[in-house]
Amino acid sequence: MRPALWLLTPLLLLALLYALLPMLASYSIEHWLQARGIAQPRIELDYPQWNQLQIRSFSLTQQRSGQRIDLSTGPILIEYDPLDLIGRLHFNSLRITSLKLQVQTRASEHSAISALDLRPLLPAAWLALAPASRLQVGELELRLAAAGQPERSLQGNINLEDGHLHSRLQLRQDDSALGWIDLQLDSDNRFELRLQQGAHPLYQARGELRPGTDLLEIRLQHALELTEAWHWQLQLPTPLIPGEPAALQGRVDAQGVIRLPLDLDVHAWPQALSIEQTLSGPLQLALNREELQRVQLPLDARLQLRAGELHLSLPAGSRAELQGLTLPGFATTQASVELRSALDYRTRLAAFEAGVLQLPPIELLLKSPPLQHASGSLALDPISLDIDDLNPRQGSATGRVRMPSLRWQSPGQTLPDAALDTRFELKDGGLNQRFTLSLHDPALKLSGRANTRLSPLVSDIHWQASPLALHQAERLWNRYYPPAPPELGIDAGTLHHNGSANISTQGIALRLELHAEQLAGRWGAVELAGLDWRSSTLRRHGGRVLHQGQLRLDQLDAGFPVHQVALDYGYEQRLPQPAQLQLNSLSAQLLGGSLAVDSVTINPQSPTLDTQLRLQGLQLQRVLELQQQKGLSGEGLLSGILPLSFDASGFRVRDGRIASQGPGWIRFAPDARVAALGQAHQGMAMALQALKNFEYEVLSVDLQYDADGATLMNTRLQGRNPDWNNGRPVDFSINIEQNLLTLLKTLQFTDKLTESIEKRYR
């Protein structure tokens, strides 16, 4: 009997062990939970089979300072191998139909956690804690609630098998679906993460966590779809970045390393964080503005964060394409902006988070094809833009723009090549500039300054031109505005210019000052010397134009000399009224006397005038010299008034009169040809005798002149020759009809006078 009982003992022990397995499984679960700080779990167990354990329901609550965790599940099926269960307290599989986990956090002024050990958070660490080789959660719901924050939740499933975890979860906020998260982890600390909404991926990442002695190294490759991510965050109940759809679109790809201390100081983690990332991807800045539609930005950058210092670098040659660029008056075109030297931006992370953004010097090169205009094209050599000090937060910048060559080209017209160099300062909503515009031919520089308030727009511009030599300016005219009038020739002179402009929402106001000094030149047979011209032009914001000018001329030779010409004039245009040109104080020294014209106002669009030309103290000898007649001389003074009128047909003189001022004399010693006329005609001989020493008392000319040049001069000469005919009075009354325009060209007045005398006494 005793040997049989001994043989039954192992069988009885096995039976007892089998009977105790459910209790051992329950103990294993409770032990696993208690090891994780969860006390008094509620578990209701069933035993469907010898290697299975079913939990009809399971719930627990964990209360910590400031945090409450509630967990509940549906039926759980546990499969186990008795030997593994006995030896390792380990299950083969754990299948959970549904699991709900809710974490509630109360607000607290100070976190009790100051240090965080990252080692238990690594996938390899917490996957090793799984109580089963295979873990499945059919329906997972994780809810996170914090005081003052919207409720966020994850809903989906989890599948863990042989150290590999796969999960697909829906992200929700306040019961609004925000997208799906696909997550993969393994026991080698490799991971993959994907966030998408519908069929559109927003963010993707893959990498590996490599713990060392003191540091955690994260090898990471990730990509962000900017457009989809922007639209996604706008759909959040509380958008992260509110506003209109982002102008920046495209994709950012990044790869590199992130390093953290395994023992992380929660309050100083930015200082301990180390990042090394290479950024790339096609970006597009969609502006959709009339002046610029979009900017293509092929990203190529390096990002580093070490000891709280952020470093962003862009290599030289980084390029942006400007598409749909439209400048006022020009056709839409394309252009590019290129970094001439590497851009290195460094800042303390604390300053960056505080919004302090101070960018380093930036050197850019702008390239554009010729800009097309309705009347021609403007060719630009690459433009250099150097920004020395840029602070986007303050809206301030200083820098320099250099345009080495601007060339205007149009059919039949050429303009001089130009270069522009400007330095600017943007500060406190204002833009201040100093600029130099240089022309190569002629050698001319325009230097100035501009002060602009950007909102509302008000700009003041002032400039000063270098003196321009006018010698042979007609050749310059021929080069750029051919043909120059063949009659024109400029021998000397200097032109000075300065001006200013005011641009605002009311329009444009201008001030232009011109001064030409010591100008000498000719127009056909007319020569001038010592011309000094000053003018000032004002244009008001409303469109009113005022122009004032002064002209001083030392000498004008139009077949007879005119000296000390002086003219003041003014011009006014005030729409819709007709323009007015006012001539004031025209005076000159003429033939030893003076000439003056009364002030007159003219409509330049339909010019008419009525005025008087006053002659005072003309010297008879100077008048007679104009005739270039040998032997003719005289002495006396002449004065007169010539009423002038002008209309579309030309100039007219009506009832003009020039008369002597007191007595004088005329002496004529004729040459052989005129003397021969006297021998042939008695009347002519008498006239010549009288004019040998003629003392006049009256000398007058009544003048009528038509626009076609037809001239009628009624000349009267009264006096005597004391050496002839006993000094008896002589009265010459001569009517001369001639085209004065032709006569002035030939200057044969004396011959005509001689012929008239001959006709009178023939």
Side-chain angles (χ1 to χ4, degrees):
M1 186 69 182
R2 186 171 295 176
L5 187 59
W6 178 259
L7 293 174
L8 288 175
T9 300
L11 295 176
L12 291 174
L13 289 175
L14 289 175
L16 179 62
L17 183 60
Y18 173 74
L20 293 176
L21 280 177
M23 298 178 60
L24 182 60
S26 176
Y27 169 78
S28 299
I29 296 172
E30 293 177 359
H31 177 76
W32 188 87
L33 293 173
Q34 290 172 358
R36 279 134 190 87
I38 300 174
Q40 298 179 348
R42 294 175 54 193
I43 305 174
E44 297 180 9
L45 299 176
D46 288 329
Y47 315 105
Q49 295 184 26
W50 67 271
N51 62 344
Q52 291 184 345
L53 179 67
Q54 181 169 332
I55 303 176
R56 292 195 302 273
S57 64
F58 174 76
S59 64
L60 61 85
T61 299
Q62 185 181 46
Q63 189 81 32
R64 293 181 180 177
S65 58
Q67 187 179 72
R68 174 186 173 91
I69 300 175
D70 294 303
L71 183 146
S72 63
T73 73
I76 303 174
L77 181 61
I78 302 173
E79 295 182 352
Y80 56 88
D81 182 285
L83 295 180
D84 283 343
L85 182 59
I86 295 172
R88 297 190 297 141
L89 297 179
H90 187 76
F91 304 113
N92 288 350
S93 70
L94 184 63
R95 299 178 184 178
I96 305 174
T97 56
S98 63
L99 185 149
K100 294 183 179 180
L101 176 64
Q102 183 168 344
V103 180
Q104 293 181 325
T105 303
R106 294 194 303 270
S108 60
E109 296 183 359
H110 302 285
S111 174
I113 301 176
S114 60
L116 179 64
D117 185 1
L118 299 180
R119 297 173 183 86
L121 302 179
L122 298 176
W126 58 268
L127 287 178
L129 299 177
S133 300
R134 183 177 182 183
L135 172 65
Q136 291 181 330
V137 180
E139 295 181 8
L140 170 67
E141 182 177 352
L142 171 62
R143 290 186 176 273
L144 303 175
Q149 297 292 327
E151 185 179 74
R152 298 179 177 91
S153 66
L154 292 171
Q155 298 178 9
N157 57 71
I158 294 177
N159 184 30
L160 172 62
E161 186 171 2
D162 297 330
H164 291 78
L165 182 143
H166 300 267
S167 179
R168 182 173 178 81
L169 302 168
Q170 186 182 45
L171 176 63
R172 304 178 69 88
Q173 178 171 306
D174 289 336
D175 295 326
S176 298
L178 303 181
W180 289 91
I181 298 175
D182 291 327
L183 177 64
Q184 296 184 33
L185 301 171
D186 65 24
S187 56
D188 292 326
N189 289 324
R190 293 189 295 263
F191 64 89
E192 291 188 18
L193 175 67
R194 179 186 179 95
L195 172 63
Q196 67 181 53
Q197 187 175 45
H200 304 290
L202 308 178
Y203 176 75
Q204 301 177 73
R206 63 185 303 174
E208 182 180 359
L209 305 173
R210 297 182 178 181
T213 304
D214 299 315
L215 292 177
L216 172 63
E217 182 177 282
I218 306 173
R219 297 280 178 175
L220 181 63
Q221 295 182 2
H222 50 138
L224 177 65
E225 301 288 346
L226 293 177
T227 305
E228 286 75 9
W230 177 268
H231 288 290
W232 173 77
Q233 68 92 29
L234 285 180
Q235 298 174 16
L236 297 178
T238 305
L240 302 176
I241 308 175
E244 296 297 325
L248 187 61
Q249 303 172 358
R251 173 188 175 102
V252 176
D253 294 298
Q255 62 179 355
V257 179
I258 299 176
R259 296 182 177 89
L260 279 170
L262 286 169
D263 295 309
L264 183 63
D265 186 343
V266 175
H267 302 298
W269 67 267
Q271 297 295 323
L273 180 64
S274 173
I275 298 177
E276 296 178 8
Q277 294 282 295
T278 299
L279 308 178
S280 62
L283 301 182
Q284 176 175 284
L285 190 62
L287 301 175
N288 297 321
R289 296 180 179 176
E290 182 178 352
E291 61 272 16
L292 182 60
Q293 291 295 308
R294 58 194 161 275
V295 181
Q296 296 287 354
L297 299 165
L299 180 62
D300 180 13
R302 303 292 183 272
L303 177 66
Q304 290 184 344
L305 177 62
R306 291 180 180 175
E309 182 177 82
L310 183 66
H311 178 204
L312 177 66
S313 64
L314 297 173
S318 296
R319 188 181 182 92
E321 300 292 336
L322 310 181
Q323 299 178 349
L325 176 64
T326 304
L327 300 178
F330 291 91
T332 302
T333 188
Q334 316 296 325
S336 65
V337 181
E338 181 179 314
L339 272 178
R340 289 166 41 219
S341 60
L343 173 65
D344 287 303
Y345 170 63
R346 298 176 184 271
T347 185
R348 300 297 301 175
L349 189 60
F352 183 80
E353 292 175 344
V356 178
L357 186 59
Q358 188 77 29
L359 294 180
I362 302 175
E363 297 180 352
L364 300 174
L365 197 64
L366 283 71
K367 298 180 181 179
S368 168
L371 303 177
Q372 301 301 320
H373 190 271
S375 57
S377 64
L378 178 63
L380 305 170
D381 281 359
I383 301 171
S384 297
L385 171 60
D386 299 337
I387 304 176
D388 303 324
D389 187 4
L390 177 60
N391 190 321
R393 181 177 177 85
Q394 296 181 0
S396 64
T398 61
R400 182 180 184 183
V401 178
R402 286 170 289 177
M403 301 182 182
S405 179
L406 298 90
R407 300 180 301 279
W408 175 261
Q409 299 171 344
S410 63
Q413 183 182 13
T414 303
L415 290 179
D417 290 355
L420 178 64
D421 189 345
T422 179
R423 297 181 181 273
F424 64 88
E425 179 185 22
L426 180 64
K427 185 179 181 181
D428 298 331
L431 177 63
N432 300 321
Q433 296 172 274
R434 291 192 175 274
F435 60 87
T436 300
L437 179 65
S438 303
L439 301 183
H440 304 305
D441 181 25
L444 178 67
K445 285 189 176 181
L446 198 70
S447 301
R449 70 182 191 278
N451 304 100
T452 304
R453 189 173 69 238
L454 300 179
S455 181
L457 178 64
V458 178
S459 182
D460 289 307
I461 308 171
H462 302 265
W463 63 85
Q464 173 80 47
S466 61
L468 177 63
L470 297 178
H471 176 61
Q472 295 182 340
E474 70 277 7
R475 297 184 179 180
L476 192 65
W477 188 337
N478 264 327
R479 283 200 292 275
Y480 300 119
Y481 291 97
E487 303 88 354
L488 176 66
I490 299 180
D491 302 321
T494 304
L495 180 65
H496 305 270
H497 168 65
N498 68 82
S500 64
N502 178 270
I503 303 173
S504 70
T505 54
Q506 299 178 358
I508 300 177
L510 289 172
R511 178 189 62 84
L512 303 175
E513 304 285 343
L514 288 171
H515 178 204
E517 62 177 353
Q518 294 302 311
L519 183 65
R522 58 193 178 281
W523 182 275
V526 179
E527 297 184 358
L528 57 87
L531 173 64
D532 188 278
W533 171 54
R534 297 176 183 270
S535 74
S536 177
T537 303
L538 297 177
R539 184 191 186 279
R540 305 296 189 191
H541 285 108
R544 183 183 178 189
V545 177
L546 298 172
H547 177 84
Q548 300 291 329
Q550 293 181 343
L551 188 146
R552 302 292 184 265
L553 179 61
D554 289 345
Q555 180 174 331
L556 173 68
D557 189 348
F560 57 92
V562 181
H563 300 279
Q564 303 304 316
V565 179
L567 171 64
D568 294 342
Y569 66 92
Y571 172 87
E572 181 176 0
Q573 172 74 68
R574 183 186 297 180
L575 296 175
Q577 301 176 9
Q580 291 185 341
L581 174 63
Q582 187 166 8
L583 303 179
N584 303 316
S585 305
L586 173 60
S587 63
Q589 300 297 315
L590 173 68
L591 303 175
S594 64
L595 172 153
V597 177
D598 290 349
S599 298
V600 61
T601 300
I602 303 170
N603 178 0
Q605 297 178 348
S606 179
T608 60
L609 65 86
D610 286 291
T611 187
Q612 290 185 336
L613 186 151
R614 302 177 184 274
L615 300 173
Q616 183 70 34
L618 304 186
Q619 295 180 9
L620 179 60
Q621 176 62 33
R622 303 282 295 274
V623 174
L624 296 178
E625 287 175 357
L626 295 177
Q627 317 314 315
Q628 301 180 7
Q629 180 66 52
K630 293 182 179 180
L632 181 62
S633 61
E635 185 176 286
L637 298 177
L638 302 175
S639 298
I641 297 176
L642 302 179
L644 294 176
S645 64
F646 177 84
D647 56 22
S649 58
F651 278 101
R652 291 183 177 84
V653 177
R654 289 289 180 264
D655 301 327
R657 181 177 180 82
I658 301 175
S660 59
Q661 293 180 241
W665 54 266
I666 296 176
R667 295 181 183 137
F668 184 33
D671 57 15
R673 185 179 68 85
V674 177
L677 291 175
Q679 294 176 0
H681 304 284
Q682 182 178 3
M684 183 66 173
M686 294 174 60
L688 293 176
Q689 287 294 328
L691 291 176
K692 283 185 177 180
N693 184 20
F694 189 78
E695 297 177 354
Y696 67 83
E697 297 175 357
V698 175
L699 173 59
S700 65
V701 178
D702 294 328
L703 177 65
Q704 308 291 334
Y705 174 79
D706 285 330
D708 59 0
T711 306
L712 174 61
M713 291 185 292
N714 298 319
T715 304
R716 187 174 185 185
L717 184 63
Q718 293 180 340
R720 61 181 55 82
N721 184 343
D723 302 327
W724 176 74
N725 198 20
N726 296 321
R728 293 178 180 178
V730 177
D731 188 346
F732 291 106
S733 296
I734 304 172
N735 296 330
I736 301 176
E737 295 185 24
Q738 178 64 39
N739 189 298
L740 184 60
L741 297 178
T742 303
L743 190 63
L744 288 175
K745 291 179 181 179
T746 60
L747 291 177
Q748 296 298 317
F749 184 78
T750 302
D751 288 346
K752 190 64 180 179
L753 176 62
T754 305
E755 293 174 5
S756 299
I757 294 174
E758 178 185 358
K759 291 179 181 179
R760 173 69 176 79
Y761 290 100
R762 183 173 292 172

